[in-house]
Amino acid sequence: MNYRPQLIFICLLFSPIVTWSQEFKVGMGIVSGEEKFNNSLIEIDTLSVYEGNLRAEEPRLMLYVQYAHSCGSRFKGTIGAQYYKSYASIFVTTPIEGVPIDSKKVTSLRSNNFEFPIGGSLNLFDINLLKFNLIAGIVPVFSFSSSPHFDEIPDGIDWTQEIVDALNAVETIPKKYHTNYLYGFSLEYWRMGLAFTRNHNFSSISNDYILYGESYSFERKTISNRVTLYYTLVRNNQR
C-alpha cells in the first residue's frame, strides 16, 4: 500500500503548528488504572451478549508528542498526538440443547487509538528549575478496531450458527471517532518532564450492537490514568 499521500498530508497539516510552536516535546507514557463502564446486557431470545473484564489487566505503552506556544508568562497553548492500543472482551452465552450448562464464548476487540489533545498548561509556581503546571484539554480520538471473524462453525457441541453470528456481530460495536477530556498536572525540570492526567469520555465510545438487522444499545465508557515521561527536544526563544 502506498502511504505517500497520507505522509504528505500529515506533513502539510503539522507544518504550520511546527512554525507556530515554541516547544516540541517527545516522550512515552503508560495507560494504567483503566476503569470500564458498561451496564449493557443484550438479551435476544435465549442469547446474551455483554462485556467482561471491565478493568484493564496490565498497563499499556503510549507514544507521545506535543507542540506548545507561550501565551503570556505562565500559560501555554498545546496540541499533541498520542497513540496506544486498547482491548475489550465481549461474551456471548446461550443454552445448548442436551448440555447441562450454557455455552459461553468470548471474542476480543482490539483498537488502535490515535489521540490529538488540544489544551493548555498553567504554571503555578517554580522552585529553581523545577516547574509545577496544571494541564487540561479536549481530546479528539480516532480508533481503528478489529475483531476475529468466523467463516465457519467451529467443531464442538456447544457451537451453533447463532453463536457464530453473535460473535461476528461484535465488529459493529466500535465507534471510529469520539471525544475525551483530560485534566492533571506536570512537573518539569530543565528539559525533562513528568505528566499525570486523568482521561474521561464525553459520551459512549461504542455504536449499537447490530444482529440480523436489529440494533441494540451497547453504551461503553472508560476512565484511565496516563503517566508520561517526556523530553523537550526543541525550545525556541520565548517572548
Side-chain angles (χ1 to χ4, degrees):
M1 184 178 294
N2 183 11
Y3 290 98
R4 185 174 298 176
Q6 290 91 329
L7 293 175
I8 293 174
F9 172 77
I10 292 173
C11 291
L12 292 175
L13 177 66
F14 278 93
S15 292
I17 300 174
V18 174
T19 303
W20 167 83
S21 66
Q22 294 175 336
E23 292 183 350
F24 174 56
K25 303 173 182 179
V26 296
M28 182 167 291
I30 294 177
V31 181
S32 64
E34 185 176 68
E35 301 174 44
K36 302 178 183 179
F37 300 90
N38 187 342
N39 295 323
S40 300
L41 172 61
I42 298 173
E43 295 182 324
I44 310 168
D45 296 329
T46 60
L47 194 74
S48 298
V49 182
Y50 60 94
E51 181 177 0
N53 298 335
L54 295 183
R55 191 166 184 87
E57 296 180 359
E58 59 185 21
R60 286 150 290 150
L61 291 178
M62 178 183 72
L63 302 179
Y64 167 95
V65 297
Q66 184 188 81
Y67 300 93
H69 186 88
S70 295
C71 304
S73 60
R74 291 190 173 274
F75 182 80
K76 294 179 182 178
T78 60
I79 183 170
Q82 300 171 170
Y83 166 77
Y84 74 99
K85 295 179 181 179
S86 61
Y87 304 88
S89 299
I90 310 298
F91 288 84
V92 173
T93 64
T94 187
I96 299 295
E97 186 177 352
V99 178
I101 59 175
D102 291 350
S103 172
K104 184 177 183 180
K105 302 300 181 184
V106 62
T107 190
S108 61
L109 281 175
R110 174 179 172 177
S111 301
N112 293 293
N113 304 296
F114 296 86
E115 301 181 334
F116 299 93
I118 302 170
S121 67
L122 177 65
N123 176 229
L124 289 186
F125 59 84
D126 300 348
I127 302 176
N128 295 325
L129 294 178
L130 180 66
K131 297 182 178 181
F132 181 85
N133 309 305
L134 290 181
I135 52 182
I138 303 298
V139 189
V141 183
F142 296 88
S143 293
F144 301 90
S145 304
S146 61
S147 60
H149 186 85
F150 296 89
D151 295 320
E152 299 179 350
I153 302 176
D155 294 333
I157 61 173
D158 60 344
W159 282 96
T160 65
Q161 185 63 55
E162 183 182 41
I163 291 175
V164 169
D165 292 342
L167 291 172
N168 286 339
V170 168
E171 66 185 12
T172 65
I173 294 174
K175 186 179 287 186
K176 293 183 178 179
Y177 173 82
H178 64 272
T179 307
N180 295 344
Y181 65 94
L182 66 85
Y183 55 87
F185 64 89
S186 67
L187 294 172
E188 295 183 345
Y189 182 80
W190 191 57
R191 289 178 179 263
M192 296 297 299
L194 181 68
F196 174 86
T197 60
R198 184 85 162 158
N199 286 54
H200 298 249
N201 310 134
F202 270 113
S203 58
S204 175
I205 60 175
S206 293
N207 295 313
D208 289 348
Y209 175 82
I210 302 175
L211 180 64
Y212 303 138
E214 296 290 333
S215 296
Y216 305 88
S217 176
F218 202 79
E219 292 193 2
R220 302 173 60 238
K221 284 189 174 183
T222 63
I223 299 175
S224 63
N225 300 323
R226 316 288 178 88
V227 180
T228 307
L229 180 67
Y230 59 85
Y231 179 79
T232 303
L233 196 63
V234 175
R235 176 175 287 166
N236 297 324
N237 293 329
Q238 300 180 2
R239 296 173 185 176

